[in-house]
Amino acid sequence: MPQAVAYATPSARAPFERTTIERREPGPTEVLVDIAWAGICHSDIHTARNEWGEAHFPLVPGHEIAGTVAAVGSKVTKFAVGDRVGVGVFVDSCRECPECRSGREQYCSGGGMVGTYNAVGRDGRWNDGGYSTSITVEQDYTLRIPDGLDLAEAAPLLCAGITLYSPLRHWGAGPGKRVAIVGMGGLGHMGVKLAAAMGAEVTVLSQSLSKQEDGRRFGAAAYHATSDAETFRTLRSSFDLIISTVSATLDLDAYLSLLVVDGTLVNVGLPEEPLSLRAGSLNGGRKQLAGSNIGGIAETQEMLDFCAEHGLGATVERIGGEDITAAYDRVVASDVRYRFVIDTSTFGAEQG
Ligand code: NAP
Ligand code: ZN
């Protein structure tokens, strides 16, 4: 069994500890990936803090994984040793339901997608995620990272990138569309870059103006503070599409008022508490409230290729394994510019 060094949290809200885990020898259609970088997604934090219900501990989170192929199974055709690859939020699905067959594995109706961590894999064991030095994954759930992308900057694309790319494409972000991105954290900053690259007119709605310069650099044409009540008066009926990446409860009525007639508010944030709204906020303007979950494998590859073509990566802060616990607090405080990525070369060699 290949061994990996990992960082695990033993219980909800406990500090991360260095540990050793076992990975599978790659089966016939699997690849063993040497992980170089793993992003810290706010979903890792919701999970590790039991904000979405009881998680399975010890927990090794991580679903923004970039590295190189170290070994391949006998029937692997898509990858060779040395290839630059990524692994995202899920590592398997039923492969037979209409969603899997149409490349929408993230909505698998035949039992659901199998999460990269905090889920039971095909081998009947709880999956460990990307805060580790290696992972064994099916070739069909492995992505190719184009040469032009830096691996550290590519890792966050596997969740943050695709989570914004998919709804931007689905709701037609492009020239002539006015798009607002709410919350400029890990997901939000990728939303700004992607929507701008697609040709949309992008506005950032952030709690303050402190990150305004960065937002403009990422491609935003306008930037407003949501802490200023004037923002909601000035921007009334201004957007065709609003995507909220906020990790906390949101005043949906206020944001719906910023849509034009027939506009759509897509909420991709997954706060601990339920959201609520007044029915009139939708009815008065035939507005739509929607959700979206990451993206399928083919669409994730399309997103990576799009990013390479447009020279887009995540803006990252590189940290070591010992920094993960402190990084979680900084993410929750909106104090990250704009995604932490963990350098697994800081983990040290496995013992025994
Ligand atoms: P993040 O880096 O923490 O960014 C969230 C941003 O939301 C913050 O940077 C902040 O932006 C804003 N925010 C935070 N607390 C707020 C509050 N109380 N009021 C208003 N705004 C607030 O997190 P992330 O990794 O981008 O993830 C965001 C959310 O999406 C999480 O809930 C995560 O679980 C979820 N998620 C969903 C999917 C999906 O497929 N649907 C995928 C990945 C993650 P400003 O500082 O600019 O105000
Ligand atoms: Zn994520």
Side-chain angles (χ1 to χ4, degrees), residues 41-44 63-64 89 117 159-160 163 187 294 339:
C41 177
H42 206 121
S43 298
D44 301 348
H63 59 206
E64 294 186 336
V89 174
Y117 65 85
C159 177
T163 299
L187 267 57
I294 43 172
R339 196 59 135 188

Side-chain angles (χ1 to χ4, degrees), residues 42-43 46 184 186-187 206-207 211 245 268 270 292 294 339:
H42 206 121
S43 298
H46 289 306
M184 201 171 78
L187 267 57
S206 180
Q207 291 168 96
K211 298 181 274 192
T245 70
V268 297
L270 291 163
S292 185
I294 43 172
R339 196 59 135 188

